[in-house]
Amino acid sequence: MDFKLKSPFEPGGDQPEAIKKLVEGIRQNESGQVLLGVTGSGKTFSLAKVIEEVKLPTLIISHNKTLAAQLYQEFRDFFPENAVSYFVSYYDYYQPEAYIPQSDTYIEKETSVNDEIDKLRLAATTNLLTRPDTIVVASVSCIYNLGSPKDYALNMLELISGELIGREEVMKRLVDMQYERTRGQLLRGNFRVRGEYVEVWPADKDEVLRIVFGEKEIKDLIWVDSVDLTPLLLIGESEGREKRAVISPAKHFLADVYSQDKAVEEIRRDLAKRSKELKNQGKILEAHRLEQKVNYDLEMLTAMGYVNGIENYSRYFDGRQPGEAPFTLIEYMQHNAEVFGKKRFLTVIDESHITLPQIKGMYRGDEARKETLIEYGFRLPSARDNRPLKYEEFARRIKQAIYVSATPAEWEVNLAGGKVVEQLIRPTGLLEPVIEVRPIEGQVSDLIREIVKRKEKGERVLATTLTKKMAEELADYIKDSERVEEKIGYKLKSPIKVHYLHADVETLDRIDVLDDLRSGEVDVVVGINLLREGLDLPEVSLVAILDADKEGFLRSETSLIQTMGRAARHVEGKAILYADKITDSMRRAMDEVVRRRKIQEQYNLKHEIVPKGITKPMRDKLLKRIKVDNKKKKMDVLDGYGWSSPDDVDVEAMTPSDKLKLSKKLRRLMNEAAKNWEFERAASLRDLIEKID
């Protein structure tokens, strides 16, 4: 099946030229191309047109779940008849297994799994194995160990009405596929027996399959509602097709009996070897600890065919050698391309200036944690091979890529051999925002007056500060109507509704805040870094950047361009930079915005286009909310000191030596966070450094 794009729109502005160049590059086997697309220029639509033209399975990688969800919804709307999938980490909360030698603290792996995301992940891999017209929107978690696609494919159960197979055989196959039998309520990943039929709820679906058995064969296959179990469709009856159904495994890590026996044997052998090594080093406690842990896992594996943490033994099951790269979603993409005759797949790296640094840094962080666990006897050395891909391994597997960003970094431009396709013209004719530089003195009063102006016209405002404390204090100040009225010199028609947004606000709560801003429940949002969510807010007419001349990662050229771009979806879009001097970053950022605006104005003049605002409907939320105890949200660097947050740090109780060590570590982590565009985290670390120093 080909990709069929459904949209009421046709390419406009410079979209046709951008689409043409990208398609030509792919057909000429270009390994990389950069799409420099400004906010609101319809980059997603252009990419959809490219996919329709080149007819390749496509992997779209975003740097966070929220953006991935947004892209998934958009591509699902564009391709309603095709298999558009969503693949992100299924953890609402994830505390990885870790050990802190300094305090002899073992932190057990603790997770909260989102059942809906788990279903969507399994649906993604099923689609890749069964359909040629597949688009997968994923977060960077797609480069983590996933298990072999060949093993997953071999364990898929195909059932045909009339097939000579008994009930007991089907039940055995379901157990091997990690489905659990139940006699009570039927849940996803469960099956139960009811007289002459078996009901199974496939792990990747919303419906239940009822398998009706005759004496020696399958009599009927019926999809039923998962809530009231009423029949939805007798498979094949609508079109006279062969009555067939495919059930995918309930988990990604699987192994047949032979592979399992072989794996257990190899694990026992490596356990004996590693235990001997530890004892020879005088690490008797560590050897004993390892023996207890691994032997327990082997008992569970032998009895159940599965054990929590099985991914740490994955290389034994999928036949990899020590150090060999794991199987990831990328292998599923390649498997799809080969099985369906495409030979290759397309990769789109969204917000590449953020996403690529994240991918680069993921292996190093994982490696450091694993090495400590191995050294102190909590894991076998094979745990090293349960890991994300190294950047070099990732790059080798991506044959053709489009790097998408409004501010591409030099890195991806070089990867693309300098080939940059610009998409600066918005179909609506909207221009880059007007930029004004105003003095820092009196910036809060001036900002409040600007907010009031926009509020009275039904428009919204984004304001950025340098610290979490400043964001909260500014939000509280703006909420105080009496103080605001004193500043502006007249009485407000209604109080200003404001909310702050920073790293301590949970991801799903951030979505609620932004939805409230769009709906008018909130007039202004104050934050530190308003880039990370890829904000798509057509109601915002003003972006205010406080202390814009404080050179640093929050006020870099790229950060400033991206932040100012949040006002580019409104006809009256304006960016105000509060500064007492023009820094190099400010100058470069303003020059680039002005360059883009001139091109847009010339295009509008030539084609007699009058800019018009964007009307964008608000979608229902994609993911279910699962609350997590905030006490679990620890800054990892503080765990070894017994602190839950920067506010807990007791500087007076620390020795000068401890202060120095912690400060050095924090500076390193701050720089890493800034490099990966984790600006809220970097800012929190910076504030903590200042507190210690």
Side-chain angles (χ1 to χ4, degrees):
M1 181 184 239
D2 287 336
F3 292 98
K4 296 180 180 178
L5 175 63
K6 303 288 185 180
S7 174
F9 308 107
E10 290 295 326
D14 53 0
Q15 284 180 324
E17 185 63 22
I19 294 166
K20 179 184 176 184
K21 288 181 178 178
L22 291 170
V23 170
E24 286 177 354
I26 293 167
R27 288 174 175 168
Q28 293 169 7
N29 291 318
E30 298 259 3
S31 61
Q33 300 177 88
V34 170
L35 174 59
L36 192 163
V38 297
T39 301
S41 63
K43 296 189 290 292
T44 305
F45 180 64
S46 295
L47 291 169
K49 291 293 290 184
V50 170
I51 294 170
E52 183 185 41
E53 287 283 329
V54 300
K55 299 177 175 56
L56 292 176
T58 302
L59 172 63
I60 301 165
I61 304 177
S62 178
H63 66 281
N64 67 44
K65 287 184 182 180
T66 307
L67 267 180
Q70 180 179 307
L71 288 167
Y72 167 63
Q73 290 173 317
E74 290 177 348
F75 277 100
R76 190 174 57 177
D77 291 344
F78 283 139
F79 296 101
E81 297 179 16
N82 301 110
V84 181
S85 303
Y86 182 65
F87 189 98
V88 301
S89 169
Y90 52 30
Y91 297 117
D92 282 322
Y93 169 72
Y94 179 67
Q95 170 62 64
E97 183 184 28
Y99 179 66
I100 304 170
Q102 296 88 337
S103 57
D104 189 27
T105 304
Y106 173 69
I107 303 170
E108 193 172 356
K109 180 180 175 180
E110 190 175 355
T111 64
S112 172
V113 173
N114 188 304
D115 189 68
E116 182 70 12
I117 295 180
D118 186 35
K119 181 198 75 176
L120 292 169
R121 283 167 59 93
L122 290 162
T125 49
T126 299
N127 284 338
L128 284 169
L129 294 178
T130 59
R131 295 189 58 168
D133 57 329
T134 299
I135 299 169
V136 182
V137 182
S139 66
V140 291
S141 63
C142 69
I143 70 167
Y144 271 90
N145 186 19
L146 191 61
S148 167
K150 291 182 180 178
D151 287 343
Y152 190 81
L154 287 171
N155 279 279
M156 297 182 80
L157 175 60
E158 184 179 41
L159 300 173
I160 303 172
S161 184
E163 181 182 4
L164 294 175
I165 186 171
R167 190 180 69 178
E168 296 301 319
E169 176 63 21
V170 170
M171 290 166 58
K172 183 179 181 302
R173 285 291 311 277
L174 289 171
V175 170
D176 290 341
M177 294 161 64
Q178 297 304 311
Y179 283 84
E180 295 182 13
R181 182 174 180 177
T182 181
R183 290 178 173 81
Q185 182 184 5
L186 194 64
L187 301 172
R188 195 177 59 83
N190 290 172
F191 72 93
R192 67 184 176 192
V193 181
R194 292 271 183 101
E196 66 176 359
Y197 59 81
V198 173
E199 290 176 337
V200 56
W201 191 340
D204 61 335
K205 290 189 169 54
D206 292 317
E207 300 80 27
V208 170
L209 180 64
R210 181 175 291 165
I211 310 166
V212 185
F213 290 90
E215 290 187 9
K216 297 180 180 179
E217 80 288 341
I218 295 175
K219 188 176 176 181
D220 273 316
L221 298 167
I222 308 169
W223 288 109
V224 302
D225 187 275
S226 60
V227 178
D228 60 15
L229 300 180
T230 55
L232 299 173
L233 178 67
L234 181 65
I235 295 176
E237 69 177 2
S238 61
E239 302 173 5
R241 296 173 295 150
E242 186 177 33
K243 298 178 182 179
R244 177 190 302 263
V246 177
I247 303 174
S248 300
K251 301 183 185 297
H252 282 118
F253 291 96
L254 296 162
D256 55 36
V257 174
Y258 172 75
S259 297
Q260 182 177 303
D261 291 343
K262 184 181 177 185
V264 168
E265 184 182 330
E266 290 181 12
I267 293 168
R268 292 194 189 281
R269 188 164 57 247
D270 282 358
L271 172 61
K273 180 182 176 183
R274 179 58 179 164
S275 180
K276 185 179 179 180
E277 287 176 357
L278 289 170
K279 288 174 180 176
N280 289 339
Q281 296 169 16
K283 297 181 177 179
I284 308 301
L285 173 63
E286 287 83 351
H288 177 69
R289 180 189 288 151
L290 185 65
E291 289 169 358
Q292 279 192 313
K293 172 67 176 172
V294 177
N295 284 326
Y296 173 80
D297 286 349
L298 290 175
E299 286 178 18
M300 292 295 295
L301 191 59
T302 304
M304 307 296 295
Y306 187 83
V307 64
N308 286 330
I310 191 173
E311 61 273 11
N312 290 294
Y313 305 105
S314 59
R315 100 163 143 77
Y316 298 106
F317 292 97
D318 51 38
R320 288 182 290 135
Q321 296 300 309
E324 192 174 346
F327 295 105
T328 68
L329 185 69
I330 296 172
E331 273 64 46
Y332 282 78
M333 294 296 307
Q334 187 58 44
H335 183 86
N336 175 279
E338 292 171 357
V339 167
F340 295 106
K342 301 292 185 178
K343 296 184 180 180
R344 58 196 171 120
F345 65 95
L346 176 64
T347 302
V348 175
I349 311 291
D350 189 52
E351 302 289 355
S352 58
H353 61 285
I354 307 174
T355 305
L356 284 178
Q358 281 197 4
I359 291 173
K360 290 178 190 177
M362 288 167 71
Y363 172 77
R364 293 193 299 273
D366 184 82
E367 180 187 35
R369 181 177 58 82
K370 293 280 179 56
E371 286 300 326
T372 303
L373 288 168
I374 293 166
E375 182 182 352
Y376 288 90
F378 290 95
R379 286 291 175 191
L380 284 172
S382 62
R384 293 190 186 102
D385 299 309
N386 168 40
R387 59 174 177 85
L389 294 173
K390 300 175 184 177
Y391 177 76
E392 296 76 17
E393 295 168 338
F394 169 79
R396 284 198 297 271
R397 286 159 172 74
I398 304 302
K399 307 299 186 197
Q400 287 194 297
I402 298 175
Y403 306 99
V404 184
S405 175
T407 53
E410 187 177 350
W411 178 262
E412 53 261 41
V413 174
N414 290 336
L415 285 174
K419 186 172 181 178
V420 177
V421 178
E422 288 193 342
Q423 188 171 302
L424 305 180
I425 307 301
R426 299 180 175 89
T428 56
L430 285 171
L431 308 172
E432 295 298 287
V434 173
I435 303 172
E436 289 187 16
V437 180
R438 298 183 183 180
I440 289 176
E441 186 177 352
Q443 61 181 350
V444 173
S445 300
D446 186 75
L447 172 60
I448 290 171
R449 284 190 286 272
E450 291 291 340
I451 291 170
V452 173
K453 289 180 188 176
R454 269 91 186 152
K455 175 179 168 62
E456 291 176 349
K457 294 192 290 183
E459 300 166 5
R460 316 285 190 270
V461 177
L462 297 176
T464 68
T465 65
L466 286 172
T467 67
K468 178 181 73 175
K469 186 178 180 182
M470 287 173 65
E472 293 178 359
E473 288 179 349
L474 180 58
D476 289 339
Y477 189 95
I478 295 171
K479 285 178 185 175
D480 190 333
S481 295
E482 289 186 8
R483 294 168 74 180
V484 168
E485 288 169 353
E486 186 180 336
K487 285 287 183 184
I488 62 176
Y490 61 88
K491 192 170 181 64
L492 294 171
K493 294 179 182 178
S494 61
I496 299 173
K497 294 167 289 187
V498 61
H499 208 296
Y500 62 80
L501 201 64
H502 54 61
D504 289 351
V505 180
E506 292 184 13
T507 299
L508 295 177
D509 287 334
R510 293 176 200 167
I511 299 171
D512 289 342
V513 171
L514 298 175
D515 285 346
D516 288 344
L517 182 70
R518 290 204 61 202
S519 67
E521 291 294 318
V522 171
D523 301 308
V524 56
V525 168
V526 184
I528 302 172
N529 174 26
L530 295 173
L531 311 178
R532 59 181 295 159
E533 306 302 344
L535 305 184
D536 187 1
L537 306 168
E539 296 80 8
V540 171
S541 66
L542 174 65
V543 169
I545 304 175
L546 278 69
D547 301 301
D549 56 3
K550 303 298 187 289
E551 192 79 79
F553 49 78
L554 287 171
R555 300 294 182 261
S556 65
E557 175 189 353
T558 301
S559 179
L560 289 169
I561 293 173
Q562 290 274 350
T563 304
M564 289 188 287
R566 303 306 168 199
R569 290 180 174 269
H570 200 282
V571 174
E572 303 294 330
K574 178 185 284 189
I576 300 177
L577 280 61
Y578 292 99
D580 291 332
K581 62 178 185 289
I582 306 294
T583 64
D584 290 342
S585 293
M586 287 176 62
R587 175 58 60 198
R588 289 193 299 270
M590 291 189 295
D591 287 348
E592 176 61 15
V593 172
V594 169
R595 181 188 77 86
R596 297 177 184 183
R597 185 178 173 95
K598 284 181 179 178
I599 294 172
Q600 295 158 354
E601 287 175 329
Q602 290 169 1
Y603 184 91
N604 287 355
L605 185 64
K606 181 179 178 181
H607 296 86
E608 299 181 346
I609 295 172
V610 178
K612 57 182 180 180
I614 296 171
T615 303
K616 183 176 180 179
M618 294 185 63
R619 291 188 173 91
D620 293 333
K621 291 181 174 55
L622 171 66
L623 305 177
K624 296 177 181 178
R625 300 293 305 270
I626 296 180
K627 291 288 185 181
V628 178
D629 186 351
N630 283 327
K631 292 180 180 177
K632 294 176 179 178
K633 297 176 65 180
K634 292 186 174 185
M635 186 180 290
D636 52 3
V637 70
L638 305 178
D639 286 347
Y641 298 86
W643 300 321
S644 300
S645 74
D647 295 335
D648 295 337
V649 177
D650 186 355
V651 177
E652 293 182 0
M654 298 176 68
T655 66
S657 176
D658 285 339
K659 286 182 184 179
L660 183 61
K661 280 194 260 183
L662 181 59
S663 181
K664 285 182 178 179
K665 188 172 184 180
L666 291 169
R667 288 181 190 279
R668 177 175 57 78
L669 292 172
M670 180 187 71
N671 291 331
E672 287 179 2
K675 193 180 295 181
N676 295 335
W677 279 63
E678 299 170 357
F679 289 150
E680 287 102 331
R681 176 174 170 80
S684 294
L685 290 164
R686 178 203 59 199
D687 294 344
L688 182 53
I689 292 167
E690 290 176 356
K691 183 176 179 180
I692 294 169
D693 293 346

